Amino acid sequence: MNDRLRNLIERNSVNPMVELLKVKAHLSFDEEKYGNDYCERYCPNKYAEYEWECPGGCRTWDEGMRDGQRKVYGADMLIETVLREGYQVLGVSGLNEPSKTEEREYADIYWDEAYNSEEGICAGCKLFGKSECLEDIFSTKCVRSGDAFAVERITDAVNEVLVCSL
């Protein structure tokens, strides 16, 4: 993963929650899976005789979940920037190139909203709704494919950041 992209996600995640929550959620976050993995790693009672009785929601879990959510919100801020201004403004090399996406661990993009003409990747596209529109944002002939690939890279990057923070 690009270190610059990782730094942008980390930098955004320390913004005040008021700023983070202003941005539309573009990523789904599997809180249950992340929370379970976090507990498995950091639970203060993991060596207790009755670990399975752990009620969850302890202070350690709450802090870990908040940190994970903030990272996802930080990635949402980057995606919002790409949708508003294009991938070029991030200045990250290789961001708009196709990549092989593996199954995602904790965060994934809501692709059903990607073709939304008001808020998605297609927003403001001069070809949207016309016969010239390819209706495939991952076609390299699509004028918005660079933004779509950038969103994919950001999604992969936030998953790597989440995995590394466990």
Side-chain angles (χ1 to χ4, degrees):
M1 176 183 69
N2 189 308
D3 286 336
R4 182 160 158 75
L5 194 52
R6 169 185 258 167
N7 291 339
L8 289 170
I9 291 170
E10 293 281 358
R11 187 188 73 204
N12 281 351
S13 71
V14 297
N15 282 327
M17 281 303 282
V18 172
E19 293 299 316
L20 291 171
L21 294 174
K22 282 183 184 177
V23 176
K24 182 181 183 308
H26 300 284
L27 297 172
S28 63
F29 180 43
D30 190 343
E31 293 177 350
E32 184 176 344
K33 183 173 182 0
Y34 186 77
N36 288 341
D37 290 352
Y38 190 87
C39 273
E40 192 173 302
R41 181 128 203 200
Y42 294 108
C43 181
N45 300 318
K46 70 179 177 182
Y47 298 113
E49 190 173 335
Y50 300 106
E51 176 189 350
W52 57 271
E53 290 183 355
C54 181
C58 66
R59 183 175 171 185
T60 305
W61 183 87
D62 286 343
E63 290 169 3
M65 285 301 296
R66 259 193 314 276
D67 184 56
Q69 288 167 334
R70 292 178 76 87
K71 286 176 175 39
V72 173
Y73 295 150
D76 276 333
M77 289 180 89
L78 288 182
I79 292 171
E80 186 71 23
T81 300
V82 167
L83 295 179
R84 201 175 50 249
E85 301 174 39
Y87 68 87
Q88 302 90 335
V89 297
L90 296 182
V92 176
S93 61
L95 192 62
N96 67 325
E97 297 171 1
S99 67
K100 193 174 185 179
T101 306
E102 298 174 16
E103 187 174 326
R104 300 217 165 96
E105 192 90 27
Y106 303 111
D108 208 351
I109 187 76
Y110 291 120
W111 279 118
D112 54 330
E113 296 176 10
Y115 292 93
N116 183 318
S117 65
E118 295 175 18
E119 298 176 336
I121 291 173
C122 297
C125 180
K126 62 185 177 211
L127 299 178
F128 185 81
K130 296 183 180 169
S131 60
E132 298 90 13
C133 179
L134 300 172
E135 297 182 5
D136 178 9
I137 55 178
F138 289 111
S139 168
T140 54
K141 294 178 183 175
C142 176
V143 296
R144 296 294 170 97
S145 64
D147 293 345
F149 293 131
V151 168
E152 284 283 287
R153 294 281 176 105
I154 292 168
T155 306
D156 290 339
V158 75
N159 276 291
E160 288 186 33
V161 168
L162 290 168
V163 167
C164 290
S165 65
L166 282 180

